[in-house]
Amino acid sequence: MGLTKQYLRYAASAVFGVIGSQKANVAFVTMRGGERGRFVAVAACEHVFIWDVRKAEKVLILKGNKHEVTYLCPSPDGIHVAVGYEDGAVRIFSLLNGESNVSFNGHKSAVTVIRYDTLGSRLVTGSKDTDVIVWDVINECGLYRLKGHKDAVTQALFLKDKNLLVTSSKDSFVKWWDLDTQHCFKTMLGHRSEVWGMALLNQESRLITGSADSELRAWDINYLEEVSTEEEAGEPKEKKGKSLLDDDDDDDEEEVVDESPEERILSCKKAGSLLREARDRVVSMTTDAKAKVLACHVTCRGRPRTNQHQGLRQYQVHSNTHTWVDCLMCAGGELKIAMLLQNNTVETYSLKMTDKNPTGTKTSRLTLGGHRTDARTLAFSSDNIAILSASGDTVKVWNRSTLQVIRTMACEYALCSLFVPGDRQIILGTKCGKIQIFDLASGTLMETVDAHNGALWSLCLSPDQRGIVTGGTDKRVKFWEFELIMDKDAAQKRLTVKHMRTLQLDEDVLCVKYSPDQRLLAVSLLDCTVKVFYTDTLKFFLSLYGHKLPVLCLDISHDSALIATGSADRNVKIWGLDFGDCHRSMFAHDDSVMFLQFVPKTHLFFTAGKDKKIKQWDADKFEHIQTLEGHHREVWCLAISPNGDHIVSSSHDKSLRLWERTREPIILEEEREMEREAEFEEGMAKGDEPVVPGEIKDAEAAPAAKKTIETVKAAERVMEALELFRSESRKMEEHQIACQSAGKQLPPPKANPILVAFGNVSPSRYVLDVIKKVRSSELEVSLLVLPFPYIPDLLSLFNCYVQDGLEVELVCRCLFFLLRIHFGQISSNQMLLTVIDELRINTISKVREIRDVLGFNSAGLQFLQREVESKEEVMFFADATGLLKEKRRKRKKRERAILTIA
């Protein structure tokens, strides 16, 4: 039996060239020891980059999973950042070390909004799946899922002093939720189109909403408890907002619907409206931390607006193609604004709000680390060290090991490129049909040559390295030779290209390629065929036909035996160059095949497609070897290093990705099995929500977590641990019976190897350890998957854990959940009554003990605080701030009383 062919795995090495992805927002963050407004967090595909805008440096990378980041929100304490992803997951990262220890998984589609409450202990997330989920950050679990919206959720805000939540959606509704009862008690229906943003102002007594029309609507919020208190005190009820937003048109009164007439919590009436100059829709609305400044971000080019809402002064900060905005109020009345632009740029501005007519001053611009438009061509230097990438306006040369930009040069719209032998110059083919030659040492454009009358789609270096061949839309293939001529300005010789021959064809040329032996030239045409010519005489040799759409890319193997073609028909065909016969046609991608290249000195080749994937193939065995997933948009091109150890790829997501060949071998059967598992997990993620016994299916509130492959695996591990516990228990019972029959103590049975591996723990303790390892956010769903026959054993174990004081809080959480979902079966089982009764007694006593310990510790800490304050004659900052606020509140109340009497 012969040895199977060995393939080595290519793995993702780095992501570079992207400054900020436009799919997620930008946010100011505070790093340890850094000043406010100096650091911004932006999404970079699946990662989050923390930029120092003053130094234009990347200071921290928060590495995510394979899914793209869609939203991020800093915590109130400034230590953490909550990040939402395309698949609906939420992860909380620490800005101190960049690690993520908390993750939530409840949404079925992309997260569209994340907000912390004032203390940072709760988190609310909204998604394209129309659900709103409230999470407990401290306990790392989901509290509940709120249903009611019919389209994607666009904003969600906690109220500081009330346990209320307000959400907006693309369904044109704004909903108010009572979090004590998880019930929507008010729906505002008056918007004519999608509500894209909202903000709370004036100590949460005013709500501003923005939609797709040019009107910003203002609503007065009156909390009914406060209104009744004021009326009892004899104080006149103020009509808020008339001084700011006058609106006497009763015909345009917005409609507000109370879901429950008996549940009157607040009233919300329209106070007025503000007409925006821009006619485009609102993208987002944000305020600074104290809600003194309202920033309204619209899709109109160059006009994000900042409103100082007390006097409704409007300031405009001009920038092109902005997508996201964040603002931060700093000391001295300085307002800092961060903008993430569509062209892969981050800009920051500064406004002095104390000035009479403040104007925005640009303070920084991050552009060096990426292209403004998509990189459409890539190339490796001959020494595998430098990478060339060119886009619609610039060409950049990168150091592969450090991923730093070595040179940035302005160019025309580049479509193809290569390094000149010696790696001292580069050549670009442009969309307007020109050849541009750049010198890397000086970073200057040496010469521009008019080559074609249309787009120059392809160029190829001749194998003898003496010239190049180009093909364009003017239906011509031109041959060029390198030549050194005297530069008049520098008084030294420089490189140029000299036109030698022209091959006239009947169709537009899309791609040209020399065979490595320089005997043949392959040309793909717009008529879906590939023509092969002899290089020396330019006589026709072969015509390769069979593709249904034009061939966009092709390459020839190192031994000039095979030619592979990739087409817009999504197929790859492998041909023999001796007779032009098609060896195999393979369905390669789910969209057009954009690029194809052989690995040097092998018959393996890579393809890149518009389906966001890069795939490796074996041209001899016609097998798919592996798929490189990472890009989130169409992949335009790739380049393989001369030694075959590295691949660089470019995509519409603005990122460049580096892939490295590892020493890990690939087993094709295992690779196919992994692909099937990935499909199964994806299907499970799109499945139905778990059904909780006794719960109404379409109720407003539902469990927060969802069933995933991780929850299923966690449930399986718990079941395996319970099976092990049962088998060990049976072994011990059999041992005791054998000892009794023998009348003496026999040697104990051999312990299970798993228990030995965990340090000779008892079977019951092993079950507890398995439960402890289940993620807190996935615990309820994992328990929900457990079949009922395992529940009696689990309840008996819970009783033992509570008696021994082991993980009482975790055990109580599991116990209460199981009692809720299996109440009918447990209450009807006579054998479980004694266990439940013992659990009731033991749980109450143990919880009281823990409560007493917590109370004692709290009292001790308060005593120590008073001791420190009395010795040092200082007051802790939080307490001092609270007392100051209380004094101010009492002083304002006295002033209001005096005004009322007057």
Side-chain angles (χ1 to χ4, degrees):
M1 181 179 175
L3 292 175
T4 58
K5 192 169 183 178
Q6 186 181 45
Y7 306 105
L8 296 180
R9 184 180 302 278
Y10 283 82
S13 175
V15 179
F16 63 106
V18 57
I19 296 174
S21 299
Q22 60 186 5
K23 196 161 186 177
N25 60 316
V26 60
F28 282 106
V29 295
T30 304
M31 302 294 289
R32 180 188 294 175
E35 62 180 282
R36 286 168 55 85
R38 179 172 175 176
F39 302 95
V40 295
V42 294
C45 297
E46 69 271 23
H47 305 313
V48 175
F49 290 168
I50 310 296
W51 290 93
D52 184 342
V53 295
R54 177 181 294 180
K55 296 182 179 179
E57 292 180 353
K58 198 184 305 175
V59 296
L60 186 63
I61 299 177
L62 309 179
K63 295 185 178 181
N65 51 23
K66 63 180 181 179
H67 296 282
E68 192 173 11
V69 174
T70 56
Y71 205 89
L72 52 93
C73 177
S75 63
D77 58 10
I79 300 177
H80 300 89
V81 172
V83 181
Y85 293 90
E86 182 74 26
D87 64 339
V90 177
R91 300 176 67 186
I92 299 178
F93 291 87
S94 170
L95 292 176
L96 302 178
N97 53 23
E99 295 180 356
S100 171
N101 296 322
V102 181
S103 63
F104 302 122
N105 205 332
H107 292 291
K108 293 182 179 179
S109 54
V111 177
T112 54
V113 63
I114 302 175
R115 280 290 180 274
Y116 278 96
D117 67 354
T118 308
L119 298 177
S121 60
R122 289 183 300 175
L123 194 70
V124 61
T125 59
S127 169
K128 286 184 178 179
D129 63 7
T130 74
D131 290 345
V132 176
I133 301 180
V134 181
W135 307 90
D136 187 338
V137 178
I138 297 175
N139 290 325
E140 303 178 14
C141 65
L143 295 177
Y144 34 79
R145 181 191 305 265
L146 302 175
K147 299 181 179 182
H149 286 294
K150 305 300 181 185
D151 208 333
V153 180
T154 57
Q155 185 61 283
L157 299 171
F158 282 107
L159 272 70
K160 294 181 180 178
D161 300 325
K162 309 282 183 180
N163 196 22
L164 304 178
L165 179 73
V166 57
T167 61
S168 63
S169 169
K170 289 172 66 175
D171 60 6
S172 76
F173 299 149
V174 175
K175 288 182 175 289
W176 292 82
W177 306 83
D178 184 354
L179 299 184
D180 290 328
T181 60
Q182 296 107 53
H183 173 60
C184 175
F185 64 89
K186 190 179 294 293
T187 300
M188 299 161 59
L189 306 175
H191 299 86
R192 301 180 181 90
S193 57
E194 303 96 335
V195 181
W196 289 98
M198 61 180 178
L200 287 167
L201 307 176
N202 292 354
Q203 297 179 352
E204 299 182 345
S205 63
R206 171 156 297 151
L207 179 70
I208 307 292
T209 59
S211 59
D213 54 21
S214 59
E215 184 180 357
L216 293 180
R217 294 170 174 81
W219 310 79
D220 275 343
I221 305 170
N222 294 315
Y223 302 100
L224 298 185
E225 299 90 345
E226 296 178 2
V227 172
S228 60
T229 303
E230 290 180 1
E231 290 176 352
E232 290 173 3
E235 298 181 11
K237 186 171 68 174
E238 297 181 24
K239 190 172 184 180
K240 300 180 182 178
K242 276 296 182 181
S243 61
L244 302 181
L245 300 165
D246 294 330
D247 187 6
D248 298 325
D249 188 3
D250 295 334
D251 297 334
D252 192 31
E253 185 68 24
E254 305 293 337
E255 186 178 0
V256 179
V257 174
D258 291 329
E259 301 292 342
S260 302
E262 73 279 5
E263 195 169 344
R264 301 282 294 177
I265 298 177
L266 56 83
S267 64
C268 194
K269 296 181 180 180
K270 186 178 179 184
S273 61
L274 174 67
L275 293 178
R276 299 185 286 109
E277 294 181 11
R279 293 294 179 263
D280 298 295
R281 74 167 179 88
V282 171
V283 176
S284 64
M285 296 174 67
T286 184
T287 63
D288 65 319
K290 296 183 178 180
K292 290 184 177 180
V293 175
L294 169 67
C296 177
H297 169 212
V298 299
T299 57
C300 175
R301 291 173 62 90
R303 288 183 180 271
R305 167 176 297 165
T306 304
N307 292 334
Q308 189 175 13
H309 67 81
Q310 288 91 339
L312 286 186
R313 284 191 295 169
Q314 300 176 10
Y315 316 124
Q316 291 184 350
V317 181
H318 295 268
S319 179
N320 292 327
T321 65
H322 55 276
T323 58
W324 293 98
V325 176
D326 191 26
C327 61
L328 179 69
M329 184 65 74
C330 299
E334 181 186 9
L335 179 68
K336 293 185 178 180
I337 299 175
M339 293 184 184
L340 175 60
L341 310 187
Q342 290 180 355
N343 60 358
N344 197 26
T345 304
V346 173
E347 294 180 348
T348 59
Y349 292 81
S350 175
L351 270 77
K352 278 289 185 180
M353 306 302 289
T354 55
D355 297 345
K356 291 184 179 179
N357 296 310
T359 57
T361 304
K362 185 183 293 186
T363 55
S364 63
R365 179 179 168 87
L366 305 179
T367 58
L368 185 62
H371 290 280
R372 308 285 74 74
T373 57
D374 297 353
R376 299 305 295 263
T377 177
L378 297 167
F380 262 102
S381 62
S382 60
D383 58 3
N384 310 291
I385 294 177
I387 299 173
L388 181 154
S389 63
S391 65
D393 55 357
T394 56
V395 54
K396 291 179 179 287
V397 180
W398 309 76
N399 185 305
R400 178 187 56 78
S401 58
T402 64
L403 303 178
Q404 298 298 315
V405 179
I406 302 173
R407 287 284 183 270
T408 299
M409 298 161 283
C411 67
E412 297 183 10
Y413 198 115
L415 297 176
C416 49
S417 62
L418 56 82
F419 278 90
V420 176
D423 299 332
R424 295 184 179 181
Q425 297 88 16
I426 58 174
I427 295 179
L428 301 182
T430 68
K431 194 174 184 180
C432 57
K434 297 178 181 179
I435 295 176
Q436 291 189 315
I437 306 175
F438 292 85
D439 179 62
L440 291 183
S442 60
T444 58
L445 174 63
M446 297 169 56
E447 186 179 7
T448 300
V449 179
D450 292 326
H452 293 269
N453 294 326
L456 197 163
W457 282 110
S458 179
L459 60 84
C460 179
L461 180 69
S462 62
D464 60 7
Q465 300 189 348
R466 294 183 178 181
I468 59 174
V469 61
T470 60
T473 56
D474 57 358
K475 304 177 183 178
R476 294 174 181 173
V477 174
K478 293 187 177 182
F479 297 82
W480 311 79
E481 283 191 357
F482 296 133
E483 189 176 30
L484 291 175
I485 60 174
M486 184 60 67
D487 191 347
K488 298 178 181 179
D489 298 332
Q492 61 181 5
K493 289 186 177 182
R494 64 172 176 83
L495 181 74
T496 186
V497 290
K498 182 180 179 181
H499 181 216
M500 303 301 295
R501 294 183 294 171
T502 300
L503 173 62
Q504 184 68 45
L505 297 166
D506 298 329
E507 295 288 341
D508 293 1
V509 178
L510 300 180
C511 188
V512 295
K513 186 69 67 173
Y514 276 115
S515 63
D517 58 8
Q518 206 166 338
R519 185 175 68 93
L520 302 173
L521 178 72
V523 183
S524 71
L525 304 176
L526 198 61
D527 62 359
C528 310
T529 64
V530 175
K531 298 289 194 297
V532 183
F533 301 88
Y534 289 103
T535 304
D536 50 0
T537 63
L538 298 185
K539 287 184 178 181
F540 175 77
F541 174 49
L542 292 171
S543 178
L544 311 179
Y545 58 90
H547 284 289
K548 297 178 181 178
L549 290 174
V551 175
L552 303 179
C553 50
L554 60 88
D555 197 14
I556 301 175
S557 61
H558 70 286
D559 55 3
S560 303
L562 299 175
I563 178 172
T565 58
S567 167
D569 63 7
R570 303 177 290 179
N571 291 318
V572 167
K573 293 182 183 291
I574 300 172
W575 318 74
L577 267 181
D578 44 3
F579 301 109
D581 55 325
C582 181
H583 292 179
R584 184 65 61 93
S585 178
M586 299 179 292
F587 183 80
H589 291 269
D590 296 328
D591 209 330
S592 301
V593 182
M594 300 301 298
F595 205 87
L596 185 150
Q597 187 176 350
F598 275 97
V599 178
K601 300 179 182 180
T602 69
H603 279 185
L604 309 179
F605 64 92
F606 282 90
T607 58
K610 278 189 174 182
D611 61 354
K612 315 173 190 178
K613 296 177 181 178
I614 300 170
K615 295 185 178 182
Q616 186 184 17
W617 308 84
D618 188 339
D620 293 330
K621 295 188 175 183
F622 317 118
E623 289 183 322
H624 172 216
I625 301 172
Q626 66 171 326
T627 300
L628 305 180
E629 295 186 1
H631 285 294
H632 303 285
R633 298 291 184 277
E634 300 93 332
V635 182
W636 298 127
C637 57
L638 60 85
I640 303 176
S641 61
N643 60 9
D645 287 341
H646 299 90
I647 302 173
V648 63
S649 56
S650 170
S651 168
H652 185 46
D653 61 13
K654 299 290 193 304
S655 70
L656 302 176
R657 290 180 182 266
L658 190 64
W659 314 83
E660 185 175 359
R661 183 161 59 186
T662 65
R663 303 297 96 183
E664 178 189 355
I666 293 179
I667 300 174
L668 296 183
E669 290 78 7
E670 292 183 0
E671 202 71 14
R672 301 294 87 81
E673 181 66 26
M674 291 170 59
E675 291 177 2
R676 286 191 290 270
E677 286 184 3
E679 292 178 1
F680 173 74
E681 292 180 15
E682 186 177 355
M684 180 171 289
K686 296 179 181 178
D688 296 332
E689 296 176 5
V691 178
V692 179
E695 297 285 346
I696 302 174
K697 184 176 181 181
D698 297 325
E700 275 186 331
K706 70 175 182 180
K707 183 180 177 182
T708 62
I709 191 66
E710 286 80 12
T711 59
V712 174
K713 290 179 179 178
E716 289 176 352
R717 288 193 295 269
V718 174
M719 287 189 283
E720 290 172 359
L722 289 171
E723 290 289 351
L724 187 148
F725 169 75
R726 288 176 176 177
S727 64
E728 292 297 305
S729 299
R730 283 195 298 268
K731 284 167 59 176
M732 292 304 299
E733 291 176 359
E734 293 172 357
H735 174 67
Q736 291 176 0
I737 294 173
C739 291
Q740 291 176 0
S741 60
K744 62 178 180 178
Q745 189 67 28
L746 298 176
K750 190 175 181 181
N752 191 290
I754 297 178
L755 301 179
V756 175
F758 277 81
N760 286 320
V761 296
S762 63
S764 60
R765 190 57 186 264
Y766 173 71
V767 175
L768 181 61
D769 291 340
V770 171
I771 295 176
K772 284 170 58 179
K773 291 179 181 178
V774 180
R775 281 185 178 178
S776 180
S777 58
E778 300 171 353
L779 183 60
E780 279 80 5
V781 181
S782 301
L783 294 174
L784 192 60
V785 178
L786 283 178
F788 183 76
Y790 291 97
I791 303 304
D793 290 337
L794 208 51
L795 294 178
S796 301
L797 287 172
F798 286 169
N799 189 26
C800 298
Y801 299 151
V802 172
Q803 285 180 343
D804 297 338
L806 299 175
E807 303 293 338
V808 177
E809 184 178 352
L810 174 64
V811 170
C812 288
R813 179 181 167 190
C814 298
L815 172 63
F816 299 152
F817 181 77
L818 291 176
L819 290 176
R820 183 162 62 91
I821 64 174
H822 296 294
F823 176 78
Q825 290 174 291
I826 292 175
S827 58
S828 60
N829 192 329
Q830 296 293 327
M831 297 177 64
L832 291 177
L833 290 181
T834 56
V835 178
I836 297 298
D837 192 50
E838 290 179 6
L839 274 169
R840 178 181 61 82
I841 298 171
N842 296 331
T843 303
I844 293 175
S845 62
K846 280 296 177 181
V847 169
R848 283 175 178 170
E849 288 180 13
I850 294 175
R851 185 186 61 186
D852 294 340
V853 172
L854 291 176
F856 180 83
N857 291 340
S858 177
L861 291 173
Q862 292 174 8
F863 173 76
L864 292 176
Q865 177 183 345
R866 291 192 297 269
E867 288 291 315
V868 172
E869 289 175 354
S870 62
K871 288 182 180 179
E872 300 184 3
E873 296 182 353
V874 296
M875 187 174 291
F876 282 101
F877 181 75
D879 296 340
T881 306
L883 289 175
L884 182 61
K885 288 182 179 179
E886 186 67 26
K887 288 180 180 178
R888 287 178 178 174
R889 194 179 298 113
K890 290 181 179 179
R891 185 167 64 249
K892 287 183 179 180
K893 202 169 185 179
R894 286 198 302 270
E895 291 174 356
R896 189 169 56 183
I898 293 171
L899 289 173
T900 304
I901 294 171

